[in-house]
Amino acid sequence: MNAELNHVELVAFHLTGDRSGGHLTDVAELDMRPALFAGYGDLTGLRYDYPLVLADNSDGEGAVRTLSSIVDDVLNGIAPQGIEGEFARKQLLSLEHRIRSAVAGGAQGTLAKLWQQAGDRMLAGADDTVGEDLQNVLAQAEAALVADGEVIDCDGATPGKVLRHLWQTGQRRKNQSLRHRLDKLILGLEGILGADFAKSETGRSAAQLKGALRGSYEAAFDFDALSNILPRTASDASLPEDRRLRLHATLKVLQTQRFVPASELLRESNAEAPYDFVFQGCAAAKAAFEERLPELVALAKALSVAELEMENRFKPARHEHYFEAFDQTSLRPDDLAQFPSYLVLLPDGDADGVVIERARAAELLSSGLPVKVLVQTDDLLGEDGVTPGQIAMRGNNLHIANMAVGINSAYVLQTTTAGIFRLRNRIMKGLDYAGPALFSIFSGDAGANGSRAPYLTAAAAAESRGFPAFTFDPGAGPDWASRFSVASNPQAETDWPEHELTYELEHHERVEEKLNFTFVDFVAADGRYAKHLTGVGNGSSDKGLMPVGEYLRRKAEGRRDNVPYVLMIDGDNVLRKIVVGEPVIRAAERCVENWHALQELGGVHNSHAARLLETERQRWDEEKQRELDELRAQAAAAASAAPAPAAVAAVEAVAGAVEAEAPEAPAPDPDVAWIETPRCTTCNECTELNNQLFAYNDNQQAYILDIDGGSFKDMVEAAETCQVSIIHPGKPRNPKEANLSDLVKRAAPFI
Ligand code: SF4
C-alpha cells in the first residue's frame, strides 16, 4: 500500500477513531497481551509466587508461603547438592508443577492433600525402572514437608483469603495474650474469694467440703469431723463486704466476656460463643462495635480492677471514684489494641450497596476505630463509553486509598495480587497497627482480558502505574519520608518501567528493543477497548509510527506527524504493532500524572526538593566562580612581575585548586554488599530479618555489621523488603549456598 495513504489513514484513526479507509484491521478478537508478557502464556510452567499456601499455625512472614519456597525447603532437606540429588530435584519439581497445574485447573484443598494426590498420580504413571526410587523420594519428601495449609491460586478470592488469614494469625497471637491475662486474673480472684468463703460458716460446712472434694477424694474423708476441726484452725478475718462484692462483680465480667474464646482451662465459666469480628460491610462492623462498646468498657475496667486487687493495690479512696467514672472516653488506643480488631471485607462492584459501603469506609476509617478494611478492585477500567471521549477509569477505589492517606492516622497499603506476597510483612504490620487500616487490593479477576490469567492482569496494572503500590504507615516516623513509600513499584524513579524485548522477525533476524511498559499496554490488553486500537495491515509502511513510551515522553510539537503504537502478542503468539487512539493516550497521561503525585509523596522527584537543590547549586556555582575570578586576578597581578611561563602555570594552578575542591567519592564495588546508610529510614525490616548481618549506627541508620553474619539469601531478602531499595547485595560469598542461581537473579535489580 502507498505509504502516504497508509499514514493518513492511521493519523485519522488515531485522532478520530475513523476506520473508513479500509486498510486498518480490527483487533477485537485477537486476545492480545503486552509483548513484554510474551513469555508468560502458560503460568503453570513457571515457578512464581502462586499458588500460595496459607500456612496453619504459623506466625510472622511464614504465615503465607509460596509453593516454590516450600518445595525448595524440602529439596534442601532431602536432595544432596550436585548429580547425586538430581533425581530427587527433578521429581519434586515435577510434583510442584503438577500441584500448580491442578490448582490452576480449579483443584482445592490443603497442601498435604494436593501433595499426596500429585504424588499418587506420579507413581501411577511411573515405569518400573524408576518406580521404587520415586516412591523413596516421595516418602522422604512427605516426611520433610513441615508446612501445611490451604493452597490458593491468584483470582478474585485471593485478597480476601490472604487478608483474612493474616488477620486470623495476628488475632490468634493477640487472643492468646489476652486469654492468658484473663485466666490468670480469674484464677487469682477465685482464689481470693475461695479463701474468704472457706472462712465462713457455710464454707466450713460438711456439705460444702464434700462438694469441694468430689470424685475419687470423696470417700477418703470424714466431712463431719473435718467441719468440726476447721472453726478452731481458721482465722476469723474475712473480706470486707464492699470488697467481696467488687471482686464478685469483677470476676463475673471476666468470666462472661465474649471478646476472646473461653480457655480450655476455664471452659465451664463461659457459656456464650465468642463474638465474630469479620464483616461484609462497614455499617454492620460499626454497629457491632457500638453495641459491644459497653461490654468492652466493662471488661477493660474489670481487667484493671482485677490487677489492682491481685496486687493488693486497690485503694477505695483513690480508685473507686476513678472507676465509677470509667467510660468509653477513658479507653486509650493501647487499651483498644489488646482486643480483636474488626475486619471488613468489601467486594468490588457498581451496585448501590457496594458504592454506599465504600463511602462508609471513609467515614469508618476517620472514626479511629480499630477496623481493618479491605477494599477490593477487580475491574480497573469498567465498560468503554461510560464517559464520552474518555477511557472510563473506575477510580473510586484509588480515591478511597488516597483519601485514607489524607486522614493521616490510618495505615494504608495499596497493591495488587501480583505484589501481595512480597508485601505480606507490611500487610501484617497494618493489621497489627493500633488504629484503623485500609488495604486497597486489585485482583485482576474481571474485565475482558481474554484467556489471560488474573495474575498477569494484576501484574500489568502494577507495572503500568494503573494500580501503583504504596504504603502509608503513620507509626513509622514523624515525617512523610518515613511514612510514605512507593519503593515497591517496579523502577519507581521512572515514569514507566523499561524492559528489554528480544524477538525474531519473519526471516529469523533477531531484534533487541528497549520497551516501556505503559498504561497503554494495560488498556490494549482489555478487549472492551478494541475500538480505540487498530492493527497495521501486513506489509504496511512504518512511516510516522512511534513507540508509545517515546510518544508519551514528548510534548505536542515533538509528536507532530507521528502516531503512537504499542507492541502486543496475539492469541497465536504473533507480535503485532497496534496503533493507539487519542483517548487511550489521554488516559495514559492522566495515569502518569497520578503517578507523579504519588512519586512526590514518596520522595521521588520531589519538586520542592528539586527546586531547593537547584537554588543551592546556583548559589554554590556563583560563589565558586567569584572565588575563581578573585584568585585569577591575584595570580595575574603576581604574574605581571614574573617571567611568562611561570605566570601561566600560576593561573592554571589556581584554577585547578578551586575546581579540585569537590572530590568525588569512589564508586562502590558492585560485587560487595553495601547499604546507602544516609538514606535509611529506620524501618527495622533488615535488622529484624538478621541482626547479625545488619545493625544501626548512632544515627539509627542501618549498615552491614558483619558481612558473614548471614547468608546471601538473607541479603537478597533484605534488599527486596527494604522500602527505599538501598541495600545492594553484591555477589554471593559462599559458592556452596543453596539456590544461588535463583538468588543471583533476584539480587540483580539491586546491584
Ligand atoms: S536499610 Fe534496613 S532499616 Fe534501613 S530502610 Fe532499608 S530495610 Fe529499613
Side-chain angles (χ1 to χ4, degrees):
M1 189 188 21
N2 175 313
E4 283 303 329
L5 177 60
N6 183 39
H7 184 62
V8 168
E9 279 187 22
L10 290 175
V11 171
F13 172 79
H14 168 66
L15 294 176
T16 66
D18 175 23
R19 296 172 186 271
S20 59
H23 297 101
L24 306 179
T25 53
D26 193 353
V27 300
E29 304 299 325
L30 290 183
D31 189 13
M32 297 190 299
R33 64 183 189 277
L36 285 166
F37 283 178
Y40 303 100
D42 175 16
L43 286 178
T44 62
L46 298 175
R47 299 191 87 205
Y48 71 114
D49 282 0
Y50 286 86
L52 290 174
V53 178
L54 307 180
D56 296 334
N57 302 320
S58 290
D59 205 348
E61 65 173 11
V64 177
R65 305 274 315 266
T66 64
L67 175 64
S68 295
S69 75
I70 293 173
V71 171
D72 284 345
D73 282 356
V74 172
L75 277 172
N76 282 339
I78 68 163
Q81 296 280 333
I83 192 74
E84 219 186 316
E86 198 52 34
F87 179 77
R89 266 193 294 282
K90 200 169 150 211
Q91 299 309 326
L92 283 198
L93 291 178
S94 166
L95 182 127
E96 178 186 331
H97 177 239
R98 281 169 186 265
I99 296 176
R100 180 169 285 117
S101 301
V103 173
Q108 295 179 344
T110 62
L111 179 60
K113 178 181 148 198
L114 295 169
W115 189 287
Q116 178 76 48
Q117 288 172 348
D120 289 348
R121 281 198 300 276
M122 285 173 75
L123 282 172
D127 61 36
D128 292 345
T129 55
V130 295
E132 199 175 323
D133 290 343
L134 177 59
Q135 198 153 18
N136 286 339
V137 165
L138 291 176
Q140 283 177 33
E142 205 174 320
L145 179 66
V146 286
D148 196 15
E150 185 187 359
V151 182
I152 61 165
D153 203 9
C154 182
D155 55 32
T158 305
K161 283 185 178 174
V162 171
L163 207 71
R164 193 178 181 130
H165 176 72
L166 291 175
W167 176 82
Q168 280 168 339
T169 303
Q171 295 309 300
R172 202 166 46 234
R173 195 182 337 112
K174 201 188 261 193
N175 286 354
Q176 273 167 3
S177 157
L178 182 55
R179 186 67 261 171
H180 178 71
R181 193 171 161 208
L182 281 165
D183 287 354
K184 209 170 108 194
L185 293 173
I186 289 171
L187 287 172
L189 294 193
E190 282 179 344
I192 297 172
L193 287 166
D196 180 56
F197 182 66
K199 292 170 193 162
S200 69
E201 283 301 321
T202 319
R204 291 185 301 234
S205 72
Q208 180 62 34
L209 292 170
K210 195 171 178 179
L213 284 172
R214 280 171 296 186
S216 54
Y217 298 104
E218 207 174 326
F221 294 96
D222 177 345
F223 290 99
D224 288 326
L226 199 56
S227 173
N228 287 332
I229 293 166
L230 279 177
R232 277 179 267 124
T233 54
S235 156
D236 285 338
S238 58
L239 293 173
E241 186 61 9
D242 60 339
R243 187 176 183 206
R244 187 181 308 116
L245 289 175
R246 187 169 60 245
L247 289 174
H248 273 298
T250 303
L251 182 60
K252 188 167 177 211
V253 174
L254 300 182
Q255 286 174 328
T256 56
Q257 64 75 34
R258 297 174 63 192
F259 292 90
V260 292
S263 73
E264 293 301 321
L265 184 65
L266 306 168
R267 182 161 294 286
E268 63 187 355
S269 64
N270 189 350
E272 291 201 78
Y275 287 128
D276 189 7
F277 289 89
V278 182
F279 296 86
Q280 306 303 321
C282 296
K286 186 161 183 270
F289 179 85
E290 285 169 355
E291 191 187 318
R292 298 168 190 176
L293 188 56
E295 275 180 63
L296 187 125
V297 171
L299 180 55
K301 182 166 132 180
L303 286 164
S304 300
V305 170
E307 265 156 4
L308 288 169
E309 288 287 3
M310 289 283 293
E311 291 161 17
N312 212 13
R313 289 194 296 117
F314 192 99
K315 305 287 176 240
R318 194 160 137 216
H319 292 118
E320 256 169 15
H321 178 67
Y322 170 75
F323 283 113
E324 261 165 35
F326 193 96
D327 63 11
Q328 63 202 65
T329 59
S330 315
L331 293 171
R332 293 160 304 162
D334 285 355
D335 294 320
L336 282 177
Q338 59 188 319
F339 298 103
S341 56
Y342 289 66
L343 180 65
V344 182
L345 304 171
L346 297 183
D348 197 3
D350 292 322
D352 286 351
V354 176
V355 174
I356 290 169
E357 280 300 333
R358 275 168 162 58
R360 284 182 179 143
E363 194 189 321
L364 195 58
L365 291 164
S366 318
S367 70
L369 300 183
V371 287
K372 312 294 167 185
V373 182
L374 165 67
V375 174
Q376 182 167 329
T377 304
D378 297 324
D379 188 5
L380 191 54
L381 295 177
E383 294 300 325
D384 187 25
V386 175
T387 314
Q390 280 196 22
I391 300 297
M393 282 278 280
R394 293 176 67 248
N396 283 351
N397 298 349
L398 291 168
H399 293 156
I400 287 180
N402 293 344
M403 179 280 308
V405 171
I407 293 171
N408 211 28
S409 57
Y411 188 101
V412 186
L413 180 144
Q414 178 164 289
T415 187
T416 68
T417 41
I420 207 169
F421 173 71
R422 235 166 26 93
L423 293 182
R424 66 199 183 284
N425 283 346
R426 291 201 214 157
I427 294 176
M428 283 190 283
K429 205 167 178 190
L431 290 168
D432 286 342
Y433 175 66
L438 174 79
F439 303 91
S440 167
I441 302 180
F442 175 62
S443 77
D445 194 10
N449 297 316
S451 57
R452 190 144 47 98
Y455 176 83
L456 290 182
T457 304
E463 194 82 18
S464 69
R465 317 298 192 204
F467 206 88
F470 66 81
T471 46
F472 177 74
D473 178 0
D479 48 36
W480 279 81
S482 350
R483 293 176 169 199
F484 195 88
S485 172
V486 290
S488 51
N489 288 281
Q491 300 175 29
E493 67 291 351
T494 63
D495 279 1
W496 312 106
E498 185 180 78
H499 302 280
E500 205 147 275
L501 178 73
T502 307
Y503 55 94
E504 281 188 356
L505 297 177
E506 214 175 336
H507 301 294
H508 303 295
E509 300 143 80
R510 197 178 156 83
V511 178
E512 279 180 12
E513 201 173 323
K514 285 207 164 134
L515 277 189
N516 290 110
F517 199 108
T518 72
F519 189 62
V520 175
D521 294 70
F522 182 76
V523 176
D526 190 320
R528 293 171 297 185
Y529 291 86
K531 79 170 192 189
H532 300 292
L533 309 164
T534 185
V536 181
N538 275 345
S540 299
S541 158
D542 277 359
K543 180 176 181 293
L545 292 184
M546 182 180 279
V548 75
E550 176 66 27
Y551 191 87
L552 287 167
R553 259 191 299 280
R554 295 192 180 194
K555 303 238 179 300
E557 56 280 12
R559 295 174 175 181
R560 193 168 300 134
D561 297 331
N562 288 295
V563 283
Y565 75 88
V566 62
L567 282 180
M568 302 293 285
I569 299 280
D570 69 16
D572 296 324
N573 284 329
V574 175
L575 186 70
R576 290 176 177 269
K577 268 186 188 162
I578 303 295
V579 167
V580 183
E582 177 64 17
V584 185
I585 294 296
R586 280 203 301 274
E589 286 168 341
R590 284 197 304 278
C591 176
V592 83
E593 269 174 33
N594 291 339
W595 168 238
H596 286 164
L598 286 180
Q599 278 183 313
E600 280 225 31
L601 291 178
V604 180
H605 307 313
N606 185 293
S607 55
H608 295 289
R611 190 178 300 169
L612 185 64
L613 202 64
E614 188 50 37
T615 312
E616 283 300 303
R617 187 175 293 136
Q618 265 179 18
R619 194 189 58 72
W620 194 87
D621 284 349
E622 283 165 13
E623 202 171 297
K624 288 296 143 195
Q625 190 57 48
R626 207 170 39 249
E627 282 176 23
L628 193 58
D629 290 346
E630 275 172 19
L631 288 169
R632 277 194 170 125
Q634 285 169 14
S640 63
V648 172
V651 173
E652 281 175 357
V654 165
V658 172
E659 277 154 12
E661 262 182 35
E664 280 194 7
D669 181 348
D671 290 354
V672 179
W674 64 291
I675 295 184
E676 296 170 61
T677 300
R679 291 182 55 211
C680 171
T681 60
T682 322
C683 74
N684 298 340
E685 295 275 9
C686 62
T687 49
E688 279 178 10
L689 183 85
N690 184 336
N691 61 11
Q692 305 296 308
L693 188 54
F694 304 104
Y696 285 132
N697 63 15
D698 292 344
N699 288 337
Q700 286 298 297
Q701 290 182 302
Y703 70 100
I704 294 178
L705 173 67
D706 175 4
I707 201 159
D708 293 317
S711 61
F712 187 58
K713 180 168 178 268
D714 288 348
M715 194 65 88
V716 173
E717 281 178 3
E720 287 173 338
T721 49
C722 177
Q723 299 178 25
V724 282
S725 302
I726 55 170
I727 299 179
H728 305 282
K731 294 270 164 59
R733 292 167 66 80
N734 173 10
K736 292 192 178 148
E737 187 173 332
N739 302 317
L740 268 191
S741 61
D742 185 36
L743 290 169
V744 167
K745 259 189 232 148
R746 285 166 57 189
F750 305 100
I751 296 291

